[in-house]
Amino acid sequence: MRGQSALNLVMTLKPGHEAEVWARLEAMRGDPGGNAVLPFARLEGVHFARLVLLPEAFRRGGRRYPPQLVLAANIDGEIAPCLAAIAAAGGAGLSELLRHCEDFPDPADPARVHDFLDAHRLPVRAFYVNTLGRTLAQVALEGRLHDALRDYLDTHDWRGQSPQAVRRALIRFVAGRDDLREALSPAEGPSRWRRLQGGGLLGAIALAGLVLALLLWPLTLLALVLLRGHEIANAPHNRRPRDAQVRRLEADEDHGLHNQLSAVGRIQAGPFRRLVLYPALWLLHLASAWVFYRGKLAEVDTIHFARWVILDGGQRVYFFSNFDGSPESYQDDFIERVAFGLNLVFSNGEGWPRTRWLLFGGASDEQAFKAYYRDHQVPTAVWYRAPAYAGRSAVNLANQAAVRAGLAGEMSEAQCRAWLRRL
């Protein structure tokens, strides 16, 4: 099974070059797939991608975060071939953009550009994939299949035909199409036991953690006291972003079925919150890979990809996601269904709505959470979505996969009828 990877490149801009970089990114926005700087559509297996310019920021105590250019992509397979493809596809246009970054080589041939990109990779701390192993080629094939079967059904008279007979006719139709015949074979995916194994793994980790907490109860008690003390001391920002900033963010949203979010925040000062955040992200990554890999993150089924990346030597974290529907519905899904999961990770950031015992409160405060969401959001300068996703939600993709799966094996009359209703 070919898995997906998260490409994360973070490059610091040279002083005074932010305006020039914005101008080049603005020129790319109109054609993310075919622009002259980095044509994402020419990169094989890229589901979603973005370029984000993290603005200059400051922290109490005088810490400065310089402007940084972030290139992120959700890709099929390994990262190394993708880096080589980026260096080759970008050419002179990409070099003109990256020359505004510190340490960029001069002259910049593809090999040196590749080495520069590779040197600026950051690891993903937690990576969520809607359906593990579903490649971009599979998305495209199953989309074509679904549309072709619907058209075939609409252009024929099926009166008097049983569901079994209709299914057999559809299978013959697919077998006769060179562009669809591959769909007669089931898609490769995780084994049926993977979720059970993942549940057992997380259960074992939870049990081991509980046993360890009981054996080391003085340290556990101290950790709980420290946690509650940090929660009480945390001052929620409760900042409402300016109207102009909100309008700027909204200008890039709700142009279709899919939306994106780019956000960055500072981790609370001191070692304690890092001791909470790093294991929380590790558990989230583990759960995403072993339990929540078949269309839902907990109870939320609208997310295609999401990632958490720590940068600036453990000072800040950014969160990127690609999802269906409006930002408002996206926020409501988390508030109503998995507020505790947001608290587990994001409460370690400065200004998060006040939590109780790590899991409670926090994101449950709807207005405070939505203000925090907007206040920490940054514009996504360039956002690319592969054409195969056009008009297809995560739920649609799951339905199309089920249609393909129904072409193989035996079915009862009732199963055939249910399968045909998917079309």
Side-chain angles (χ1 to χ4, degrees), residues 163-187:
Q164 291 275 20
V166 174
R167 178 173 179 256
R168 287 193 294 269
L170 293 178
I171 292 173
R172 288 194 298 270
F173 166 70
V174 174
R177 288 272 300 263
D178 291 341
D179 61 329
L180 299 178
R181 192 175 300 117
E182 181 186 351
L184 293 174
S185 300

Side-chain angles (χ1 to χ4, degrees), residues 5 10 38 81 89 152 155 172 178 187 207 216 240 277 279 299 310 340 353 355-356 363 370 373 395 400 412:
S5 299
V10 180
L38 182 54
Y152 187 73
T155 55
R172 288 194 298 270
D178 291 341
L207 180 60
L216 303 176
R240 299 310 191 260
L277 176 62
E299 293 300 315
I310 293 176
F340 68 91
T355 56
R356 301 185 306 278
K370 289 184 175 181
Y373 175 103
V395 174
Q400 291 171 181
S412 67

Side-chain angles (χ1 to χ4, degrees), residues 255-276:
H255 292 293
L257 174 62
H258 306 102
N259 263 305
Q260 50 71 33
L261 167 66
S262 301
V264 63
R266 296 189 293 266
I267 302 170
Q268 292 185 36
F272 180 79
R273 280 298 184 174
R274 287 165 180 75
L275 289 174
V276 176

Side-chain angles (χ1 to χ4, degrees), residues 144-282:
R144 292 196 309 273
L145 172 70
H146 182 267
D147 294 346
L149 291 179
R150 290 191 65 174
D151 290 344
Y152 187 73
L153 286 171
D154 289 343
T155 55
H156 289 73
D157 185 357
W158 303 101
R159 284 175 293 186
Q161 298 278 354
S162 69
Q164 291 275 20
V166 174
R167 178 173 179 256
R168 287 193 294 269
L170 293 178
I171 292 173
R172 288 194 298 270
F173 166 70
V174 174
R177 288 272 300 263
D178 291 341
D179 61 329
L180 299 178
R181 192 175 300 117
E182 181 186 351
L184 293 174
S185 300
E188 187 178 5
S191 71
R192 67 179 63 184
W193 302 111
R194 186 180 180 93
R195 191 185 295 267
L196 182 62
Q197 293 170 334
L201 175 63
L202 293 179
I205 292 172
L207 180 60
L210 178 61
V211 170
L212 194 62
L214 292 174
L215 290 175
L216 303 176
W217 65 266
L219 290 177
T220 303
L221 182 61
L222 176 61
L224 290 173
V225 170
L226 288 172
L227 172 64
R228 193 67 190 122
H230 276 77
E231 290 179 328
I232 294 171
N234 173 49
H237 284 167
N238 291 327
R239 289 197 299 257
R240 299 310 191 260
R242 295 181 178 180
D243 290 344
Q245 174 70 358
V246 174
R247 286 194 297 270
R248 184 185 183 192
L249 296 168
E250 289 176 340
D252 291 331
E253 298 170 344
D254 294 328
H255 292 293
L257 174 62
H258 306 102
N259 263 305
Q260 50 71 33
L261 167 66
S262 301
V264 63
R266 296 189 293 266
I267 302 170
Q268 292 185 36
F272 180 79
R273 280 298 184 174
R274 287 165 180 75
L275 289 174
V276 176
L277 176 62
Y278 280 75
L281 289 175
W282 177 74

Side-chain angles (χ1 to χ4, degrees), residues 260-329:
Q260 50 71 33
L261 167 66
S262 301
V264 63
R266 296 189 293 266
I267 302 170
Q268 292 185 36
F272 180 79
R273 280 298 184 174
R274 287 165 180 75
L275 289 174
V276 176
L277 176 62
Y278 280 75
L281 289 175
W282 177 74
L283 286 172
L284 176 60
H285 185 71
L286 203 65
S288 297
W290 287 92
V291 179
F292 305 124
Y293 62 89
R294 296 288 292 179
K296 289 186 178 182
L297 178 57
E299 293 300 315
V300 181
D301 60 2
T302 57
I303 305 172
H304 293 273
F305 294 91
R307 71 183 65 196
W308 292 255
V309 175
I310 293 176
L311 66 160
D312 299 319
Q315 296 288 314
R316 296 196 296 172
V317 60
Y318 73 67
F319 171 70
F320 292 169
S321 68
N322 304 281
F323 58 93
D324 300 324
S326 69
E328 190 77 14
S329 64

